[in-house]
Amino acid sequence: MMKRKSNVYGRMSSESANNTTSSSSSYSTSLEEAIEWEMRPGGMLVQKRTQNADVSAPDIRLRVAYGAVRYEISVNSQATFGEVKKLLRAETGLQAGEQRVIFKGKERENGEYLDICGVKDRSKVILMEDPASIERRFIEMRRNAKIQSAHRAINDVSMEVDQLADQVSAIEKSISGGVKVPEVQVTTLIELLMRQAIKLENIAAEGDAFAQKILQGKRVQKCVETLDTLKISNAKVKPVIVTTKWETFEPSPAMAQWEIFD
């Protein structure tokens, strides 16, 4: 008579596989719970803490390398990297959005906690400026340099126009007083004003500098128009001829007679 052999090992293998699957599923669940996120009132997305998050945590010192410069800051061990960036803003002048914080070879997000990422007392982090921020600042510096250059050039033209405007006023006063002014003086003054107009035209300006450029251009135009009008008035002025009439005197009889001796 044959006996049926039970597959004990088969059942054990199946049970082991089930336990392994259950353990793997449990590990994945715990891992997902470990990286669970939450939204703070300020709108920052941070890692969600466990029930022991209310326990006060000690402060730690962080060593920060920013190029050739070294900083050391004190921060709570349960702070986020976003809060670290706020502290570094006061030290470096970089806004939080312009910073990239590297720890253990990986860039850290604002919502990641220091202790969860393994940051300890006197841990070293590397601070880098965002390349896009560097490019924006470079473009802004070039733009500011152009604006300053435009302001200087316009101020130089303004000083020249001030002097020429004074000469225009002097000529206008003379012609109004009936004094004829040499035509070459009026023509030369118009030419000098037109040179300033060409200088203004060649200045690349924007913003306030552009407004100043337009203002000086109007001043030059007004002076030229005034001189054109004065040129016509000056042609109508008749030159004043000054004649001198000499008065002769007869010798008085009472004058003494001088005797001449050899």
Side-chain angles (χ1 to χ4, degrees), residues 5-168:
K5 189 176 181 180
S6 61
N7 191 357
V8 179
Y9 295 100
R11 287 199 301 270
M12 291 177 62
S13 177
S14 176
E15 290 176 359
S16 176
N18 291 336
N19 291 337
T20 303
T21 305
S22 176
S23 176
S24 176
S25 176
S26 176
Y27 175 76
S28 299
T29 304
S30 63
L31 184 61
E32 290 177 359
E33 291 177 354
I35 60 172
E36 190 176 354
W37 298 84
E38 64 180 355
M39 183 72 71
R40 282 193 173 181
M44 181 183 293
L45 188 65
V46 299
Q47 292 174 329
K48 187 175 182 180
R49 287 195 170 278
T50 60
Q51 298 299 325
N52 296 327
D54 295 335
V55 179
S56 60
D59 288 347
I60 59 175
R61 291 170 297 174
L62 283 184
R63 294 180 300 157
V64 183
Y66 177 41
V69 185
R70 299 293 183 269
Y71 300 100
E72 186 172 288
I73 61 174
S74 178
V75 64
N76 190 277
S77 60
Q78 293 184 352
T80 63
F81 279 93
E83 292 168 334
V84 171
K85 289 181 179 181
K86 291 180 180 179
L87 295 175
L88 291 174
R89 180 177 59 186
E91 297 287 346
T92 63
L94 295 176
Q95 297 297 322
E98 300 173 344
Q99 301 177 31
R100 296 178 62 186
V101 177
I102 313 297
F103 179 66
K104 290 185 177 180
K106 180 181 177 182
E107 181 180 357
R108 301 298 174 172
E109 300 295 333
N110 292 339
E112 293 184 82
Y113 286 101
L114 300 180
D115 56 342
I116 294 179
C117 294
V119 179
K120 299 179 180 179
D121 188 42
R122 298 192 62 80
S123 289
K124 181 180 179 180
V125 298
I126 299 174
L127 174 64
M128 299 176 60
E129 186 175 0
D130 185 60
S133 173
I134 297 175
E135 184 178 358
R136 286 195 302 269
R137 189 170 71 250
F138 177 72
I139 294 173
E140 187 67 19
M141 288 174 61
R142 289 186 57 184
R143 179 175 175 272
N144 290 336
K146 288 182 180 179
I147 292 176
Q148 292 177 2
S149 177
H151 274 295
R152 287 193 296 268
I154 293 172
N155 287 336
D156 292 342
V157 172
S158 178
M159 293 176 64
E160 292 290 338
V161 173
D162 287 342
Q163 296 178 3
L164 296 175
D166 290 341
Q167 297 182 39
V168 172

Side-chain angles (χ1 to χ4, degrees), residues 206-252:
E206 58 182 21
D208 293 339
F210 182 77
Q212 291 296 322
K213 173 182 174 179
I214 296 298
L215 178 62
Q216 296 303 321
K218 290 181 178 180
R219 289 186 63 200
V220 172
Q221 182 180 0
K222 183 178 180 181
C223 288
V224 172
E225 291 175 352
T226 301
L227 288 173
D228 288 337
T229 303
L230 290 176
K231 186 188 292 187
I232 298 173
S233 301
N234 189 52
K236 297 178 181 179
V237 175
K238 295 182 179 180
V240 179
I241 302 176
V242 180
T243 58
T244 304
K245 183 177 181 181
W246 298 93
E247 185 177 358
T248 57
F249 297 91
E250 294 293 335
S252 175

Side-chain angles (χ1 to χ4, degrees), residues 183-222:
E183 185 176 352
V184 65
Q185 185 175 352
V186 178
T187 304
T188 301
L189 196 53
I190 292 176
E191 182 179 349
L192 293 175
L193 285 165
M194 293 307 298
R195 289 181 183 177
Q196 300 306 316
I198 294 174
K199 287 182 180 179
L200 286 171
E201 187 67 25
N202 293 331
I203 297 175
E206 58 182 21
D208 293 339
F210 182 77
Q212 291 296 322
K213 173 182 174 179
I214 296 298
L215 178 62
Q216 296 303 321
K218 290 181 178 180
R219 289 186 63 200
V220 172
Q221 182 180 0
K222 183 178 180 181

Side-chain angles (χ1 to χ4, degrees), residues 1-5:
M1 184 175 63
M2 297 180 63
K3 294 184 180 180
R4 186 176 182 181
K5 189 176 181 180

